[in-house]
Amino acid sequence: MPDARRRVPRVDHVLADPDVVAAVGRLGRTRVKAAVDEALAACRAGRVDPEDVVAAAVAALPDEPVSMRPVLNATGVVVHTNLGRAPLSAAAVHAVALAAGATDVELDLDSGLRGPRGAGALAALAAAVPDAGGVHVVNNGAAALALVTCALAVGREVVVSRGELVEIGDGFRIPELMESLGARLREVGTTNRVHLADYERAVSERTAFVLKVHPSNFRVEGFTSAVPVAPLTGLGVPVVADIGSGLLAPHPRLPDEPDAATTLRDGADLVTASGDKLLGGPQAGLLLGRADLVQRLRRHPFARALRVDKLTLAALEATLTGPVPPVAASLASRPGDLLDRARLLARAIGAPAEAVASEGRVGGGGAPGVPLPSAAVALPHHLALPLRQGSPAVVGHVHDGRLLLDLLALPPEQDAALADAVRRVLAPAPAGSAGRGA
Ligand SMILES: *Cc1c(COP(=O)(O)O)cnc(C)c1O
């Protein structure tokens, strides 16, 4: 025992090992030092051989500096909130990396003076929606509504239909958000029906604006009626439309989903939307509409608390001006092509994988109830857990007792990674042979 203790390596020797130095470069000294201390303690206790201390310390460390893990989205849900909504395009990822260092986000390089923050992203948004007199970007859709409320409706009334009092998710409700900031809601109509006359009766000198909220995550069917934006514009007060999903123009596959251009042309004074739903960009809140109102929002003190960072601005600009983002590509995919991919994958994986037709959806606050024809690789359902625990994790969904790995939301360039992940789970490598960070 005393001999073994003498053979315990010195901590500074372990920390100087090239593998450990590389780990410090990836993960930082604190975490690596803790792993080294633990491996040394195990060595002192006789559980790790002195020559294995470095390997034990490195093996105990994660590959990546973040705890969030990459996931192959095989759920068939294009905008999956629990998976971070829209995946960024390669161009947007590149833009984020460019902006991550020092950048001229708020500096005019020609004059050397302060410049307008995020001018490129705002210009791209304005160009994408020419009907908007002004545009502004905040942290998310809820922040956009919060800013409108703070700037226009504190101590005043917001007229809204009872059929549009929406809970967004995780217990957050749009009406409560607005009330928490000091607006009073003046509810009109019933859950299923509201008429123009209801709005007319409710509008008074206390009204700040009429709010239209797109029921983006539920559907009321049967005996229903709602009032669209156009007739509401004759009430003598501004109309604010929360369209939710961030479609900038009509989408042929989602005819019931409102878009910014049409909503503005119908006469809405302001439109709010999210950046990371159907627009396919980073988390952001888009504000579009009358130039004077947008300017008021931009200059309101609260705007500073909702300001987006440079990474968001970079990703948003690249999403708006660059190649088709993954969300739009998914929506444009043809069921026949998806089935071809599923067949190729099933062949590459081998038994028991099988290609099947399936049904995906938009998810995450868009086109509720609209099925999107898709295709999937079907597998025994007990593979769901090991696939979720793999690296990369694979998340599918169980349907009729089988695990479906749906291809609608999976970019085709990830097919090979999906096949590899499934093969690893079907035929686990012998213990000890799995290379780390592979
Ligand atoms: C998603 C959604 C919101 C919230 O947007 P976030 O970007 O998640 O803050 C608000 N309103 C509607 C109609 C939505 O669909």
Side-chain angles (χ1 to χ4, degrees):
M1 193 55 185
D3 280 2
R5 201 170 309 151
R6 233 176 296 125
R7 285 174 52 233
V8 171
R10 282 173 42 184
V11 65
D12 49 338
H13 283 178
V14 178
L15 286 172
D17 180 279
D19 284 354
V20 175
V21 170
V24 169
R26 257 185 315 127
L27 303 168
R29 189 181 152 84
T30 307
R31 193 143 40 155
V32 175
K33 176 73 168 42
V36 167
D37 288 344
E38 208 152 295
L40 286 171
C43 182
R44 266 178 233 114
R47 292 195 307 272
V48 168
D49 289 337
E51 57 275 20
D52 292 338
V53 164
V54 165
V58 171
L61 287 167
D63 290 334
E64 306 291 348
V66 286
S67 56
M68 275 189 273
R69 292 166 52 200
V71 172
L72 299 180
N73 177 5
T75 60
V77 179
V78 176
V79 180
H80 199 300
T81 297
N82 298 352
L83 299 181
R85 290 195 181 156
L88 295 181
S89 67
V93 171
H94 181 62
V96 168
L98 279 180
T103 181
D104 63 342
V105 63
E106 219 172 308
L107 181 74
D108 178 45
L109 289 172
D110 291 331
S111 66
L113 301 174
R114 181 189 197 128
R117 184 180 172 85
L122 294 174
L125 182 57
V129 188
D131 293 282
V135 297
H136 185 53
V137 179
V138 290
N139 268 326
N140 59 15
L145 270 177
L147 184 54
V148 174
T149 305
C150 278
L152 307 179
V154 172
R156 308 187 67 202
E157 287 184 359
V158 173
V159 177
V160 62
S161 161
R162 290 196 170 87
E164 298 177 9
L165 299 171
V166 174
E167 177 169 315
I168 314 166
D170 196 21
F172 288 102
R173 296 165 172 172
I174 288 173
E176 291 176 357
L177 166 81
M178 302 181 77
E179 283 171 332
S180 75
L181 294 165
R184 282 191 308 274
L185 290 194
R186 181 83 156 81
E187 300 170 15
V188 297
T190 59
T191 308
N192 57 330
R193 290 175 74 82
V194 65
H195 308 282
L196 185 58
D198 295 317
Y199 286 96
E200 282 167 351
R201 273 195 299 275
V203 168
S204 71
E205 71 285 353
R206 295 182 298 276
T207 306
F209 55 83
V210 170
L211 177 67
K212 278 288 294 176
V213 182
H214 176 49
S216 59
N217 52 10
F218 68 100
R219 247 156 66 142
V220 182
E221 280 177 49
F223 186 55
T224 65
S225 78
V227 183
V229 166
L232 295 176
T233 61
L235 296 173
V237 293
V239 175
V240 176
D242 172 15
I243 63 168
S245 77
L247 272 189
L248 300 183
H251 194 289
R253 227 170 153 180
L254 308 171
D256 296 332
E257 199 60 22
D259 66 275
T262 306
T263 308
L264 288 169
R265 236 171 280 158
D266 284 346
D269 297 274
L270 281 173
V271 167
T272 68
S274 299
D276 55 354
K277 295 178 177 173
L278 289 174
L279 181 63
Q283 178 185 305
L286 314 181
L287 283 152
L288 309 101
R290 254 172 54 195
D292 61 319
L293 288 180
V294 172
Q295 187 59 15
R296 254 174 88 183
L297 302 181
R298 195 201 312 281
R299 297 315 312 165
H300 190 278
F302 193 47
R304 178 55 193 245
L306 309 173
R307 190 174 89 160
V308 283
D309 79 330
K310 59 184 178 171
L311 304 183
T312 301
L313 291 165
L316 182 63
E317 181 176 352
T319 301
L320 289 164
T321 60
V324 175
V327 165
S330 288
L331 285 179
S333 60
R334 288 194 301 242
D337 293 342
L338 295 170
L339 195 58
D340 287 344
R341 282 172 59 197
R343 290 201 181 104
L344 282 174
L345 275 169
R347 203 175 310 147
I349 293 165
E354 196 191 333
V356 297
S358 64
E359 221 168 61
R361 57 198 166 86
V362 168
V370 178
L372 299 171
S374 180
V377 175
L379 289 166
H381 67 83
H382 70 265
L383 295 178
L385 177 64
L387 279 169
R388 282 204 309 278
Q389 291 173 332
S391 187
V394 176
V395 181
H397 72 107
V398 173
H399 181 76
D400 279 348
R402 292 208 285 183
L403 173 66
L404 296 190
L405 301 182
D406 195 296
L407 301 182
L408 181 69
L410 189 80
E413 57 271 22
Q414 293 184 341
D415 282 1
L418 183 75
D420 286 347
V422 177
R423 278 195 299 246
R424 273 198 298 276
V425 166
L426 285 174
S433 75
R436 288 187 58 80

